[in-house]
Amino acid sequence: AERAAIALQELRALENPSVGLRALAVAAEAAYLYEHFTGHADAALDEGFRAAERYRACGDADSMRRIQANLVDTLLQAGRNEEAVALGTSLVAALRGTRDLGPLVYAQLNLAAGLLALRRAAEAGATLAEAWPRAYLYGIEDECAAHVALWSVQEARFEVALRVAGFSEATYTQSG
């Protein structure tokens, strides 16, 4: 972690407009990831939104959406559930028109988590129902099942929640 912090300081010292917008976006994304994984949510959000804006400005929509999906997760971790749902909703809408369904399923899972945090179980259930078949395609059925288990608890379907949670755990354990 100490070496990563030093590398991040060096990266920030090099930041200037002459290196190009794409390089600045990549640098901001690296800073976002460092701050996120070291538990500094506010700093991570600043860097993440900066990276998303830079990717947008240089025309890299795929990278912009990828970082936005991660930002939804960071917003949830920071307890900013309304903001997470707003960003997640717009991101899912934007991704529905693309051919790459991987980012869509991740965005749907993060959106469902935000909806569950806000006790909006009906919307979360609809989002999870749409995500479930894709989760298998991308090998994240254990994550999707964990969300379905939480949804089942909110719907007072406790037996279903236990079964789905067991499936999630077994699938996760088998995948290594």
Side-chain angles (χ1 to χ4, degrees), residues 76-137:
L76 290 170
Q77 290 177 2
R80 294 165 60 175
N81 300 330
E82 293 282 352
E83 292 172 75
V85 167
L87 179 58
T89 299
S90 66
L91 180 59
V92 165
L95 287 167
R96 277 199 178 107
T98 67
R99 294 171 63 187
D100 188 3
L101 300 178
L104 174 60
V105 72
Y106 281 105
Q108 288 173 314
L109 292 182
N110 283 342
L111 173 58
L115 292 166
L116 289 168
L118 294 174
R119 300 281 201 216
R120 291 164 53 182
E123 293 169 82
T127 301
L128 291 168
E130 188 179 336
W132 182 260
R134 290 186 196 107
Y136 274 95
L137 292 174

Side-chain angles (χ1 to χ4, degrees), residues 3 5 8 18 32 34 65 91 95 158 172:
R3 286 181 12 184
L8 183 59
S18 69
Y32 160 74
Y34 172 80
R65 288 190 290 258
L91 180 59
L95 287 167
F158 303 113
Y172 177 79

Side-chain angles (χ1 to χ4, degrees), residues 59-67 95 98 100 103:
D60 187 347
D62 290 340
S63 294
M64 180 191 72
R65 288 190 290 258
R66 183 190 68 248
I67 194 97
L95 287 167
T98 67
D100 188 3

